[in-house]
Amino acid sequence: MDGEGNIKGFVIIKLPPPEDPSQKKTFEGALAFEESLNPVNSTPDIGPDPSSRADPRDEQHEEDYTLPLQRNDEILSPHIPTRRRRFRFRSKGLASVLFVAMVAYFLWQYGPSTVLLEEELETKNNDESEQPLVYSIYSKLMVYPSINSSWVSSIPAYPDNAVPTSPSAISKIIARDVVRHSTWLGTAAEAAPTSDSKETSTAIFPLRGNVYPDGLYYISARFGNPSREYFLDMDTGSDLTWLQCDAPCTSCAKGPHPLYKPRKANLVDCNEAVCSSVQAGSKFGCNHGTGQCDYEIMYADGGYSLGALVRDQLAMILTNRSWGYSKAVFGCAYNQQGSLAKSPTYTDGVMGLSSSTGSLPSQLAEQGIIKNMFAHCISGDGDNGGYLFLGDKLLPAHGITWASLLGKPATKNYVVAVEDVFFGDSSLRVVSKGLGNAIFDSGTSYTYLTSSLYEKITLIIQNSLVGSGFEHDMTDNTLPFCWKYKAAVRALKDVDHLFKPLVFEFRSSGWFRKTSKMQLTPEGYLIVNSRGNVCLGLLDGNVMGNDGPIIIGDISMRGILVVYDNENDRLGWMKTDCRKIPKSAVSSSSP
């Protein structure tokens, strides 16, 4: 038998209708019951969410769910013991019924109005006060060198034949490129991991986006258990994968999906090696008493992103057309300032694809799931999308051209040496010892050249268009160079025969010093804007605040399978129809 509990009761009295107050109040009934204070067997356990596809290697414990859950949260609520109510008509209960009935009669006769009366003993509230999951930190403005925020709106020194453009006319896409490039400054280089284990599969992510007008490509990824969809900017220039999160969120932009909601058990301890990798070059460490791994990313517009590392489940489509699961470490970004805080945004965060130990490919390779290599294929002009895959299972057996990556393993970006650049058959090399280095960066929309190279290529393109029907449109400020045709251009393929190919000659891999050429069709350096004009997607690197290196952006990787091989420190490319995702990786179901 359970111990004695509290006696409770209630009566219900029906009031007269408003339209006829002369009617009397009506006694509807009364009831008493006993409430047991014994919590044993109080609430049956709730089974797992049938929509979840748990990682069999991951065992969740009840202490994982000790956080205050926000409104509209879909995570399972904690099992809090509740008092069990039992209805009993014992002698003590009968006396209570008589007492309640007397009170009801008195109120019926003399009370002004009664809707519901409930008597209950006062109980102590054992619920803990709501506490934030992540301890907030303040921006450490001296973590990185001072960055000139005027880069965002500054105008490069165009040659005399260029359009004198006002700062307000510079594309927002260019400003975005400039802002995110500042994350390369002041970060410490580190060695990429090597994996001796054999890969088990390859994960694939469909791509969405375009160069113009949106200026980014993003993937759809699923994190958490149960898994939820998030859109991430595909960025080979970023080390860290991060999502905007509710921990709670101090300042977040409105994205396409609800904020990621972490649990306390998801927090990465600041003593872990992956934390040291992310915090390299900053002043963060295990000296603030919270134990969490804090990080900060600074941007050129004076903005920043603050967050803490978490570890959660990642669901991936594998080459055998099934869903695979793995643990991934990523940033829980709860405070965005500057350009990151602008709403709405196309994405929920960034997928970091550099060669650092904290990048997603390096993490999966460390676990032996894939080889430490990946590739993306961005669709050509007019065909939004493409695909990204992590691993080597979908690489073609033949046809890939390779160039050596420089500075490995210390350099985390993908850098190659540029020997020469050709427009048609004309060499654009202005010095005898090559043209410096180039970084392949999928987080950049356009391609940025050194000032001398930019001046030479704009002049030669202008001269090549004489008599072609194209005229320089001085009123079009979409990009520094836009040309108007005798009729509005609907697609680049309609006029691409009037433009010559652009060829980058890189130093190739191997024992002997030789070169590898990457040929770009006009879609590799031109766009068609909303006016029907053709604009040059090659820009002066001075807008970045320095004269080099060359940055190969999305526009110059369209229609090409670009391979990042961190196993052999090389970068490859191959002309490909990026509209066709490999059939072996297509799945119609969701995890």
Side-chain angles (χ1 to χ4, degrees):
M1 294 292 293
D2 295 323
E4 294 295 326
N6 301 318
I7 301 300
K8 301 177 61 177
F10 62 85
V11 295
I12 301 176
I13 299 174
K14 182 177 180 182
L15 300 177
E19 62 272 13
D20 189 7
S22 62
Q23 296 185 22
K24 296 183 178 181
K25 297 186 286 290
T26 306
F27 175 72
E28 295 293 317
L31 183 64
F33 59 90
E34 179 181 3
E35 182 180 57
S36 173
L37 296 177
N38 188 354
V40 179
N41 299 324
S42 58
T43 305
D45 289 338
I46 301 175
D49 188 340
S51 66
S52 67
R53 295 283 299 272
D55 185 346
R57 297 170 294 178
D58 178 31
E59 296 183 2
Q60 299 289 346
H61 302 281
E62 286 192 6
E63 53 266 29
D64 291 353
Y65 300 92
T66 59
L67 307 174
L69 301 179
Q70 304 298 318
R71 185 175 59 183
N72 297 328
D73 181 71
E74 298 180 5
I75 301 175
L76 291 178
S77 300
H79 296 171
I80 302 175
T82 57
R83 295 177 299 170
R84 186 177 180 184
R85 295 182 173 179
R86 302 184 178 217
F87 294 88
R88 298 176 181 172
F89 288 93
R90 294 161 51 187
S91 59
K92 191 173 182 179
L94 182 60
S96 300
V97 172
L98 295 176
F99 173 78
V100 171
M102 293 176 61
V103 173
Y105 180 80
F106 177 83
L107 293 173
W108 175 51
Q109 290 289 344
Y110 305 106
S113 62
T114 305
V115 180
L116 180 66
L117 172 68
E118 182 176 17
E119 294 184 64
E120 183 174 3
L121 295 176
E122 182 178 355
T123 59
K124 181 179 180 181
N125 185 3
N126 294 322
D127 294 336
E128 297 179 358
S129 59
E130 184 174 289
Q131 298 291 334
L133 166 62
V134 174
Y135 294 91
S136 298
I137 56 177
Y138 295 96
S139 173
K140 298 183 183 294
L141 297 179
M142 298 306 295
V143 170
Y144 299 109
S146 175
I147 299 172
N148 185 359
S149 61
S150 64
W151 291 1
V152 181
S153 59
S154 64
I155 304 301
Y158 299 123
D160 295 337
N161 61 337
V163 183
T165 314
S166 63
S168 61
I170 288 294
S171 169
K172 293 180 180 179
I173 299 175
I174 301 176
R176 172 182 171 272
D177 288 345
V178 175
V179 167
R180 62 164 303 280
H181 281 159
S182 67
T183 61
W184 297 347
L185 300 179
T187 55
E190 61 173 314
T194 57
S195 175
D196 296 331
S197 59
K198 295 182 178 180
E199 80 286 358
T200 59
S201 191
T202 287
I204 190 163
F205 303 87
L207 273 179
R208 307 174 191 178
N210 53 68
V211 171
Y212 178 86
D214 299 329
L216 83 163
Y217 288 89
Y218 60 93
I219 59 101
S220 173
R222 305 188 71 92
F223 288 91
N225 183 17
S227 65
R228 295 175 180 85
E229 183 182 46
Y230 301 96
F231 292 162
L232 301 180
D233 191 349
M234 179 186 70
D235 191 357
T236 59
S238 290
D239 302 336
L240 182 65
T241 296
W242 59 265
L243 292 171
Q244 291 194 124
C245 73
D246 181 11
C249 182
T250 303
S251 174
C252 290
K254 181 175 177 57
H257 299 97
L259 298 178
Y260 167 76
K261 178 77 175 182
R263 308 182 184 104
K264 185 176 181 180
N266 294 131
L267 285 174
V268 172
D269 190 89
C270 61
N271 291 302
E272 294 191 36
V274 66
C275 182
S276 300
S277 169
V278 172
Q279 291 182 342
S282 74
K283 295 183 179 179
F284 289 118
C286 292
N287 54 4
H288 46 71
T290 65
Q292 68 192 31
C293 181
D294 298 313
Y295 70 86
E296 179 181 32
I297 304 174
M298 298 292 294
Y299 292 89
D301 64 347
Y304 57 86
S305 175
L306 294 176
L309 290 189
V310 294
R311 180 182 284 107
D312 209 340
Q313 182 173 280
L314 168 66
M316 302 168 288
I317 303 175
L318 304 179
T319 50
N320 60 3
R321 306 184 71 176
S322 67
W323 284 93
Y325 300 87
S326 174
K327 286 295 186 180
V329 173
F330 54 94
C332 166
Y334 58 83
N335 189 353
Q336 323 301 322
Q337 299 296 330
S339 61
L340 291 177
K342 294 181 180 179
S343 296
T345 62
Y346 291 102
T347 61
D348 302 292
V350 170
M351 175 176 278
L353 296 170
S354 76
S355 62
S356 73
T357 55
S359 71
L360 193 56
S362 295
Q363 290 186 50
L364 297 179
E366 180 83 17
Q367 299 175 43
I369 297 174
I370 65 169
K371 281 190 175 180
N372 197 353
M373 57 196 308
F374 66 94
H376 59 69
C377 201
I378 299 174
S379 296
D381 180 62
D383 298 313
N384 296 344
Y387 57 89
L388 161 75
F389 62 82
L390 309 181
D392 67 330
K393 291 287 188 179
L394 300 179
L395 289 180
H398 307 284
I400 299 178
T401 303
W402 299 97
S404 299
L405 288 172
L406 304 180
K408 297 299 181 182
T411 303
K412 294 180 285 185
N413 295 316
Y414 299 99
V415 185
V416 294
V418 182
E419 293 293 327
D420 204 348
V421 178
F422 295 86
F423 185 75
D425 297 328
S426 302
S427 171
L428 302 178
R429 185 164 61 181
V430 293
V431 293
S432 59
K433 296 183 179 180
L435 293 174
N437 299 330
I439 299 175
F440 278 72
D441 181 21
S442 66
T444 300
S445 302
Y446 299 117
T447 292
Y448 294 81
L449 308 175
T450 61
S451 294
S452 57
L453 181 58
Y454 176 76
E455 183 175 355
K456 196 167 185 178
I457 197 169
T458 52
L459 181 60
I460 196 172
I461 292 176
Q462 285 276 74
N463 293 335
S464 70
L465 293 177
V466 174
S468 66
F470 276 103
E471 294 182 358
H472 194 179
D473 190 345
M474 304 289 289
T475 66
D476 192 341
N477 292 323
T478 303
L479 288 170
F481 278 98
C482 290
W483 296 278
K484 182 179 181 180
Y485 197 49
K486 51 190 176 183
V489 178
R490 300 182 61 182
L492 195 56
K493 63 182 180 181
D494 297 334
V495 293
D496 60 0
H497 62 282
L498 299 174
F499 294 86
K500 298 178 181 179
L502 181 68
V503 180
F504 282 90
E505 189 176 78
F506 302 117
R507 190 181 305 162
S508 64
S509 58
W511 289 99
F512 301 100
R513 183 181 176 89
K514 58 181 181 179
T515 59
S516 300
K517 294 182 179 180
M518 184 175 76
Q519 178 170 307
L520 306 181
T521 60
E523 73 175 2
Y525 61 92
L526 298 172
I527 65 165
V528 176
N529 68 7
S530 57
R531 289 190 178 188
N533 288 348
V534 175
C535 299
L536 182 64
L538 305 176
L539 303 175
D540 191 338
N542 261 339
V543 74
M544 299 296 178
N546 55 52
D547 193 19
I550 295 171
I551 300 171
I552 307 294
D554 292 334
I555 189 171
S556 298
M557 294 188 277
R558 294 190 294 181
I560 299 175
L561 179 70
V562 182
V563 184
Y564 304 81
D565 185 357
N566 290 312
E567 296 278 343
N568 301 293
D569 295 334
R570 58 182 183 171
L571 183 140
W573 59 89
M574 177 182 178
K575 189 71 176 178
T576 308
D577 185 356
C578 299
R579 297 172 300 176
K580 300 179 180 179
I581 298 178
K583 293 182 179 180
S584 60
V586 175
S587 175
S588 60
S589 61
S590 297

